Amino acid sequence: MERTTATGDLARPGAAAAAGAHRPADYGTEGSEGAGGTSGPALRRRLDTLRGADVPPRALDARALAALAANPGCRRRTLLDGAGIDKGALAEALGSPAPFGQSQFAFARGNAFEARITADDGAELLSLLAERTGETPPDPAGVHVPDLAAPGPRGRVERTRLALAEAVAAGGWTLLRHPMVSLEVAGAPVYLEPDAAVVGPDGRCTVVEIKSFPILDGAADPAKVGAAARQAAVYVLALQPHCEVHHNVLLVCPKDFSNQPVAEPVDVRRQLAATRRQLARLTRLEAIAAALPADLTLDVRQPSPRLTAAVEAVEAAYAPECLAACELAFHCRTRARERGDVTALGRGVRSELGGLRTVAEVVAAASGRAEPAQAARGAAEAGGAAGRPAEPAASERRAAAGPEGPAGPGAMPGGGHGAGPAAAAPVRGPGEPPPAGSEPDGVGPPPEDPAVAALRRAAKLRAEALSAAAAGVPAPAPPLAGGGT
C-alpha cells in the first residue's frame, strides 16, 4: 500500500523513531551526482526559493513518478515535482482544485490489509509468493527480516543496499519490509519506498506491490492493474543497481469482497522499458530553473494573479490523460482551451494535424483560408532550412507595399514591372537581401502540410455531400487510394 501523505513512512505507527530525521525527498542535495554533473547547493537553494523557503518539500512517490514519466515533455510537472511543491495545494490556490484522491477510509483499509500480509515475518506473503513461483514455502523460522531503520533517507538507502548484499550472499529467504531506494530523476535523486521486496535462495529479488482494490472472480480493474504495474516498474528500476531483480512483480490484493489476500504475478518488462526511456527524456532541473526569472516563486501564499503568472511562465504539455494523474490538469486544460490548442483534443489528434497547432488554424485550413500565424511559421521554417532569415509571407509583403506595388528597379507606374530578365530579377550584391515582393533564391512558398491538404479535401467532400443531399441526388463516391473506382 503506497504512502500518499507528505510525511511518507511517518504515517505508520512507530515509524517516526525508525525514520529519524527523515525528509520525504531530498532534491539536489549536496554531493548527489547527476548525469551531467553535480546537483549542488545552488540548485537546492533555487528549488527552495521556488517552493517557498519555509515550506517543507512534498514527497515524490512512485505513483507520481510513473505519471511524470508518462508525460516527459511537461516541464511544469518536472519542475513542480523536482522542487517538492504540493500540486494539490497549488491547484486550489489557482482556483482549479482536482476532485480526486484516496479517501481516509480506503487508506486505513489498505494499511490494515498490508499489516496483515506482512505480519509474522511475512509468512503469508512468502507462502503466496512460493505458490505463484512453484517453490516450496519457506520455514518461517528460517526467513531473515533485517532491520532497515537508519537516520535520514540517505541512511535508509545505504542500509537497504547493505541488507540486499547480505541477502544475496546468504542464499536464503529474506524479506525487506519498506526498503528505501533512490532513483535519479531530471538530475536529482528521488527516494522511493516499495511495500516489500523478497530475496529468494537464487539471489533474485521480487518486488511486492500490495493494493487494496479487489480481484473479483480472478479479474481486476485493468486501469488499476496498469497503474500498479507502472508504479512497480519504478521500484524495479531503482533496485536494479543493487541486485538482480525479477521482471515479474507480485501483486497482492483482497479476494472478492473479503479481506483474504490473493496474489498474481505481473510482467512489467514493457512498463520498465517505457519508464526508463521516458525518464531519460526528462529535461534536467538545472536547465528548467535557469530559464526562469531569478525572482520567480511558486509559493501558494502569494496573491492569485502573481501566482497564476508564475505558473504560466513554466511551459506545460497538457493532454487529456493528465486528468487522471496530475492535480494541475484542470488548470492546464482551461488554459489550453482558452488558447485553442489542439492538444486539448488528445495526443492522437495532435499527431494527425501535423503543423497545425490551434483549432483556429485547423478551421482556416479546412475552409481554404491562410492563417497568418501558420503562414509566418511556415515561412520561418522555410527560411531556416535555407540558412537565411525568413522572409515575410507574400500577402504581408503586398499589404506592406501598398496598392501601387513595390518600388525599385524595373517598377512601372501602377505597380507593374517591365518585361525582361533585368526587370524580373534585378542584380544585387553579395549578401544583399532580395527586394520586396520577390521570393528568396531557391525558396518558394512552403510546401502544403499533408494535414492541411487532407482537411481541405474532407471539407470539399462534405460540401459536395451536403449539396447532393439538398438536391436529392446521391453524392459521388470518393476515389480509392489505388486510383480505382
Side-chain angles (χ1 to χ4, degrees):
M1 180 66 186
E2 184 189 6
R3 301 296 183 270
T4 57
T5 59
T7 52
D9 59 351
L10 296 182
R12 299 198 311 275
H22 168 64
R23 293 185 62 181
D26 266 349
Y27 300 93
T29 53
E30 295 186 42
S32 60
E33 294 293 334
T38 302
S39 301
L43 177 60
R44 176 68 174 274
R45 288 193 297 269
R46 179 63 173 134
L47 296 180
D48 288 343
T49 301
L50 288 169
R51 183 180 62 253
D54 56 342
V55 178
R58 183 172 178 83
L60 178 63
D61 51 35
R63 180 180 299 173
L65 188 54
L68 174 62
N71 191 8
C74 186
R75 292 191 167 205
R76 181 178 297 171
R77 171 146 195 169
T78 301
L79 182 65
L80 294 175
D81 286 342
I85 297 175
D86 187 347
K87 296 189 295 297
L90 182 59
E92 289 188 10
L94 293 171
S96 302
F100 60 83
Q102 190 176 28
S103 68
Q104 291 299 319
F105 174 78
F107 191 75
R109 181 175 181 270
N111 282 341
F113 180 69
E114 179 182 338
R116 172 184 174 177
I117 299 300
T118 57
D120 300 326
D121 291 338
E124 189 169 15
L125 173 60
L126 293 174
S127 176
L128 291 171
L129 177 61
E131 177 185 348
R132 287 304 176 184
T133 58
E135 302 182 31
T136 303
D139 183 6
V143 177
H144 180 51
V145 184
D147 182 11
L148 302 179
R154 284 185 288 180
R156 293 184 62 195
V157 168
E158 180 63 19
R159 182 68 191 93
T160 299
R161 186 188 66 81
L162 293 176
L164 286 170
E166 294 171 358
V168 172
W173 288 93
T174 302
L175 171 64
L176 285 77
R177 292 185 293 192
H178 293 284
M180 180 161 282
V181 290
S182 64
L183 184 66
E184 184 181 293
V185 178
V190 173
Y191 298 100
L192 306 168
E193 184 180 348
D195 293 329
V198 178
V199 180
D202 58 355
R204 302 176 70 183
C205 178
T206 301
V207 172
V208 178
E209 187 65 23
I210 303 175
K211 293 297 184 182
S212 59
F213 61 82
I215 295 180
L216 305 174
D217 296 330
D221 186 344
K224 294 181 178 179
V225 174
R230 290 189 294 271
Q231 181 180 332
V234 174
Y235 297 138
V236 172
L237 187 61
L239 281 167
Q240 281 183 340
H242 306 294
C243 61
E244 183 181 359
V245 187
H246 204 287
H247 58 78
N248 281 338
V249 303
L250 189 69
L251 178 62
V252 183
C253 300
K255 182 179 180 180
D256 298 330
F257 297 101
S258 67
N259 209 31
Q260 181 70 25
V262 61
E264 292 292 341
V266 179
D267 191 340
V268 297
R269 281 178 290 186
R270 183 173 61 85
Q271 290 84 357
L272 182 62
T275 301
R276 185 185 291 111
R277 181 177 64 255
Q278 300 290 59
L279 289 179
R281 294 176 55 197
L282 288 174
T283 306
R284 293 179 62 85
L285 288 174
E286 297 95 325
I288 300 176
L292 300 176
D295 59 345
L296 185 138
T297 178
L298 297 170
D299 192 339
V300 298
R301 296 168 296 184
Q302 61 184 315
S304 180
R306 184 177 177 184
L307 178 62
T308 302
V311 171
E312 293 304 313
V314 188
E315 181 184 357
Y318 170 76
E321 293 81 0
C322 298
L323 294 173
C326 183
E327 293 86 342
L328 276 182
F330 292 91
H331 171 80
C332 297
R333 182 181 66 175
T334 300
R335 295 299 181 183
R337 288 177 173 176
E338 290 175 354
R339 295 189 299 265
D341 294 344
V342 295
T343 53
L345 304 176
R347 293 192 179 104
V349 176
R350 172 68 181 87
S351 62
E352 291 291 339
L353 292 176
L356 303 176
R357 301 179 184 178
T358 66
V359 175
E361 291 182 3
V362 175
V363 173
S367 59
R369 299 192 307 269
E371 184 70 18
Q374 181 191 354
R377 185 164 60 248
E381 293 172 356
R388 291 184 298 273
E391 291 294 317
S395 60
E396 297 177 3
R397 291 196 299 267
R398 287 193 297 269
E404 298 300 325
M412 299 291 291
H417 287 268
V427 179
R428 60 181 186 270
E432 183 180 348
S438 64
E439 296 290 346
D441 294 338
V443 180
E448 187 177 37
D449 193 307
V452 175
L455 284 170
R456 289 178 176 172
R457 182 171 179 272
K460 181 180 178 181
L461 292 174
R462 179 176 180 273
E464 292 177 356
L466 291 176
S467 300
V473 296
L480 298 178
T485 56

